[in-house]
Amino acid sequence: EELVGTTSDEKDDESNSEEAAAADNDEVAATVATTDLPTDEYFHLKVRVCLKCKSCGYSRSKEELYRHLSIDVGENDEGESWGVERSLEHFFQAEDRELNCEKCEEGTSATQTMEIISRPKAILLHFKRFIVTQRENGEMVLRKNKAKIPLKDSLSISSFFSSEEEKPNGLYHLCGVVHHVGNTAFSGHYTTCAKRKLEEESVEEQWVFFDDTVGQRRTINYVTGNETNQKNCYMALYELK
């Protein structure tokens, strides 16, 4: 695999890139071609991906568009579950990749870095709860990771911005959560907690729990602090305010 045009495809299956076209581009910085969607007004996060040869230092970068981020669910050495911030740190951390450099014969690996260059109005996070495992009979199954995800009402992404860009002000605030209730990827039930204006003249939004046709008022503590919800949290929506 060549260093040219190789990017972070393993990071996110939904990364909207055209690898073949980028590989043929001789410019040092290549921009990934994308197709505009109606949702891009809100879900439009641009990331600069850079690969640097560990032998000669040759680097190449290009921009990628993410409409959501698929982030890992993990635990620290003490067995404590990662928060959203730690999962994002893991997503954006530098990593070494086995690659052949096009500029030198000695280069067989490169360091990949990712940094945000423009922020969206909203961020949709997908938590990678399902893990591929193999049974004794050779059958492949998707096991659910039920580690708790301690959500917070607000989120900052300023630490993941490029040093060349001005650090943005403002926080993202939680406005919706999707839960998967079940043990496998092939079965289960989905419920949602979302902020809604329940009274026409009200200026404040309230949390509502939705389960099929049932809707019930809930507190922020139920949304973020309930242990069952933390184990079943599957997607989280944050809005910039």
Side-chain angles (χ1 to χ4, degrees):
E1 187 175 8
E2 293 295 323
L3 180 60
V4 177
T6 308
T7 57
S8 61
D9 292 337
E10 299 109 8
K11 287 279 192 179
D12 189 339
D13 291 337
E14 299 298 323
S15 173
N16 213 9
S17 62
E18 295 180 1
E19 292 293 318
D24 292 334
N25 194 331
D26 292 331
E27 297 296 329
V28 174
T31 301
V32 178
T34 59
T35 302
D36 291 336
L37 298 176
T39 54
D40 283 351
E41 179 181 353
Y42 290 90
F43 304 100
H44 195 277
L45 182 129
K46 282 188 177 182
V47 174
R48 181 184 295 117
V49 182
C50 179
L51 286 165
K52 185 175 182 179
C53 176
K54 298 185 69 175
S55 178
C56 69
Y58 170 73
S59 65
R60 180 181 176 87
S61 65
K62 72 173 183 178
E63 296 178 9
E64 290 190 342
L65 168 65
Y66 288 83
R67 294 187 173 94
H68 79 268
L69 298 179
S70 289
I71 57 180
D72 289 319
V73 178
E75 297 180 342
N76 59 23
D77 295 337
E78 289 73 34
E80 298 175 340
S81 300
W82 289 355
V84 174
E85 294 85 353
R86 178 65 186 90
S87 293
L88 286 173
E89 288 175 2
H90 185 264
F91 181 89
F92 284 101
Q93 72 181 7
E95 62 177 330
D96 291 338
R97 302 187 60 187
E98 297 295 325
L99 300 169
N100 293 323
C101 181
E102 65 168 29
K103 296 296 183 181
C104 71
E105 296 181 356
E106 296 80 12
T108 58
S109 63
T111 299
Q112 175 180 285
T113 57
M114 301 174 64
E115 53 189 12
I116 298 174
I117 56 176
S118 71
R119 63 177 179 174
K121 294 181 180 179
I123 296 177
L124 180 60
L125 300 178
H126 160 245
F127 300 102
K128 299 195 290 189
R129 284 205 175 271
F130 297 104
I131 305 169
V132 178
T133 58
Q134 186 174 10
R135 293 176 175 171
E136 293 182 359
N137 61 2
E139 180 184 3
M140 305 300 291
V141 296
L142 288 173
R143 177 178 60 84
K144 183 177 180 180
N145 181 349
K146 292 188 177 181
K148 294 187 294 184
I149 300 176
L151 295 175
K152 293 183 179 179
D153 184 44
S154 61
L155 175 69
S156 173
I157 62 171
S158 60
S159 61
F160 310 116
F161 262 76
S162 167
S163 58
E164 300 175 1
E165 306 291 333
E166 182 178 353
K167 299 292 183 181
N169 295 321
L171 295 173
Y172 287 86
H173 291 270
L174 187 67
C175 60
V177 183
V178 176
H179 306 107
H180 174 270
V181 184
N183 297 317
T184 73
F186 307 105
S187 64
H189 181 65
Y190 290 94
T191 62
T192 302
C193 288
K195 275 189 172 182
R196 290 290 185 272
K197 286 186 178 180
L198 301 182
E199 299 177 6
E200 186 174 344
E201 298 180 358
S202 175
V203 294
E204 292 188 2
E205 296 179 322
Q206 299 184 40
W207 282 101
V208 181
F209 169 73
F210 295 97
D211 184 353
D212 291 336
T213 60
V214 177
Q216 299 173 328
R217 295 189 184 191
R218 288 289 188 261
T219 64
I220 182 62
N221 184 61
Y222 173 84
V223 178
T224 62
N226 181 278
E227 184 173 343
T228 300
N229 287 341
Q230 289 181 343
K231 290 181 177 180
N232 291 325
C233 178
Y234 190 53
M235 301 180 76
L237 178 62
Y238 286 84
E239 183 180 9
L240 182 63
K241 292 184 178 180

